[in-house]
Amino acid sequence: MVEETQPGQPRDVDELPDRLWTIPNLLSVIRLALVPVFLWLLLGPEADGWALAILVYAGVSDWADGKIARLFNQTSRFGAMLDPAADRLYTLATVVAFVARDIVPWWIAALLVGRDVVVGICIWVLGRNGFAPPEVTYIGKAATFNLLYAMPLLLLAQGSSDFATVVRPVAYAFAVWGGALFLWSGVLYLVQTRAALRSSARPAPI
């Protein structure tokens, strides 16, 4: 549900402590710094094993920094912005590399990137009208879960080995379900944004 921010009321991110030197932030910075290395490994030497290791680190550290932040009270404004940025860059780098190597068709990549552009516009429009971003839905979380599994599995599915043959249908199943849920969560963002803007346009009751 999209909730309107009252005048003078800080956003949730703005209410977080303004600190940089925390373990979760360090994990996120390392994860972010490895994005160009990950992309080079996929497109340069095509060292899929090392690229897969970085992708696994990205997934594990993404889970770990959230746990550490909550357990040891190390949440921060910087971390709240850095963590999703790193996730988005990994997704974008993987999609670009997969298209370049013909692992996925370009139109699928265009749909996924287009969805993120639409969501970004929705968040910007909501902010301009005094609304906080919509809460993450279970559909969005399920989409992320499926796509996080699909990416390394698609790498493992490359080649003509027996192992790749076994992994391939599982990888595409995760990719199809994750992509469909990802697009559907984008539609929900549009619905929530429209509902919020319409509610703000109604005249206040007398």
Side-chain angles (χ1 to χ4, degrees):
M1 187 62 130
V2 180
E3 296 182 358
E4 186 170 4
T5 304
Q6 298 299 323
Q9 179 182 347
R11 301 294 180 86
D12 291 341
V13 173
D14 293 334
E15 293 173 348
L16 295 174
D18 188 11
R19 52 191 176 189
L20 298 177
W21 304 110
T22 66
I23 294 175
N25 287 351
L26 177 62
L27 292 175
S28 294
V29 167
I30 294 173
R31 187 162 78 251
L32 193 61
L34 287 174
V35 171
V37 179
F38 171 73
L39 191 57
W40 175 77
L41 288 170
L42 285 176
L43 297 180
E46 296 190 5
D48 291 351
W50 286 108
L52 180 61
I54 291 178
L55 200 58
V56 170
Y57 167 79
V60 172
S61 64
D62 186 33
W63 171 83
D65 62 20
K67 286 290 184 181
I68 293 171
R70 288 187 291 272
L71 285 175
F72 298 99
N73 192 28
Q74 292 192 353
T75 55
S76 67
R77 191 182 309 171
F78 180 67
M81 294 185 293
L82 187 65
D83 187 59
D87 293 342
R88 285 290 174 263
L89 280 176
Y90 268 102
T91 302
L92 180 61
T94 305
V95 168
V96 168
F98 281 7
V99 170
R101 290 181 51 180
D102 293 325
I103 296 175
V104 297
W106 68 267
W107 58 270
I108 290 181
L111 285 174
L112 297 180
V113 173
R115 179 267 187 196
D116 264 351
V117 171
V118 169
V119 169
I121 293 172
C122 286
I123 292 174
W124 178 79
V125 170
L126 287 170
R128 292 276 294 180
N129 287 271
F131 289 90
E135 294 180 2
V136 178
T137 64
Y138 285 109
I139 292 177
K141 291 179 180 179
T144 301
F145 173 83
N146 278 275
L147 290 175
L148 284 176
Y149 274 88
M151 290 174 186
L153 287 172
L154 285 170
L155 276 179
L156 291 172
Q158 302 311 300
S160 56
S161 65
D162 291 340
F163 180 73
T165 303
V166 172
V167 168
R168 194 169 296 122
V170 180
Y172 281 115
F174 273 108
V176 169
W177 276 107
L181 291 173
F182 194 65
L183 294 175
W184 181 240
S185 66
V187 172
L188 292 180
Y189 264 95
L190 282 173
V191 171
Q192 288 179 304
T193 300
R194 181 173 179 268
L197 295 178
R198 289 185 65 182
S199 68
S200 65
R202 294 183 191 133
I206 299 175

